[in-house]
Amino acid sequence: MGIVSEIISAVGEWITGIFGWLVSAVQGVVAIFYDSTEGLTIVGVLLLFGLAMTLVFFAFRFIRGLIRK
């Protein structure tokens, strides 16, 4: 059982390390777009504006495709 425990321990450490790395990466990216004291940053506002424009253009393209058929 010692070898199984060591394997499970090693896999657990890998999973914990990968999860910690992902959380750290997401927190770093969120800091670019959102500040807890001021709210959205300029980059965050531009990201939301770009997302909204993309959705609008997608909707127009979808409607235009329906009309053509």
Side-chain angles (χ1 to χ4, degrees), residues 1-9:
M1 288 306 254
I3 225 165
V4 173
S5 298
E6 289 182 29
I7 291 173
I8 291 173
S9 174

Side-chain angles (χ1 to χ4, degrees), residues 3 32 54 64:
I3 225 165
I32 295 172
T54 301
R64 194 172 46 193

